[in-house]
Amino acid sequence: MRNRVLGAILAATAVAVAFFGLPLALAVQHLYHSEAVVRLEREAARAATRVPDSFASSGDPVELPTPSDETQLALYRADGRLVTGSGPAAVETPLRAAFGGRVAEQTADGRIVVAVPVADEERVVAVVRAAVPAAVVDARVRRT
């Protein structure tokens, strides 16, 4: 009889953990992913302010700020080619939406990536790309 009661308690506990724990884990994962995207947008916007107004016409050298932790920053010309920073030689296709004047975001190849447009006189002249390994967010979710 005692083993039955103990088994029932363990089964009820397992069901409760599955019923409440899994949705909580998914909510935490979504929250931390969203926080990472916002932080990347902030880093990219901060870097975009360092791009001189004359960048498109003069090709002035650009020094991007030093990113925090494992974040990578890169600057791309209007044609999508890398100018400076850490990133692929050409901006990823889903992030090309940033050349249309809006912030773009994607998660691919184990990275969370955000692209922020750099405008000069209402014309997008460059894009700043910020990326962080998705493993950083995943580790934070596991710790929580």
Side-chain angles (χ1 to χ4, degrees):
M1 177 73 169
R2 186 175 185 189
N3 287 338
R4 272 188 175 163
V5 172
L6 184 60
I9 290 171
L10 288 174
T13 303
V15 168
V17 166
F19 188 71
F20 293 112
L22 292 177
L24 178 61
L26 292 174
V28 166
Q29 183 178 25
H30 179 73
L31 172 70
Y32 288 165
H33 182 273
S34 297
E35 284 180 356
V37 169
V38 168
R39 188 177 59 76
L40 287 172
E41 283 182 32
R42 188 174 43 242
E43 292 264 354
R46 184 173 66 105
T49 63
R50 304 280 295 270
V51 178
D53 293 338
S54 61
F55 169 75
S57 58
S58 69
D60 289 343
V62 178
E63 290 184 30
L64 297 176
T66 304
S68 61
D69 56 33
E70 298 182 40
T71 304
Q72 292 180 332
L73 288 175
L75 177 67
Y76 293 86
R77 293 185 192 283
D79 63 3
R81 289 182 316 182
L82 178 67
V83 175
T84 187
S86 299
V91 73
E92 297 95 330
T93 303
L95 298 178
R96 290 194 179 270
F99 291 109
R102 61 186 171 90
V103 174
E105 180 253 329
Q106 84 169 44
T107 302
D109 299 327
R111 303 191 80 65
I112 301 170
V113 186
V114 173
V116 174
V118 178
D120 179 31
E121 296 181 15
E122 298 181 22
R123 185 174 57 96
V124 176
V125 296
V127 165
V128 174
R129 176 188 179 272
V132 70
V136 171
V137 175
D138 293 343
R140 188 172 175 208
V141 170
R142 281 192 299 279
R143 283 192 307 270
T144 300

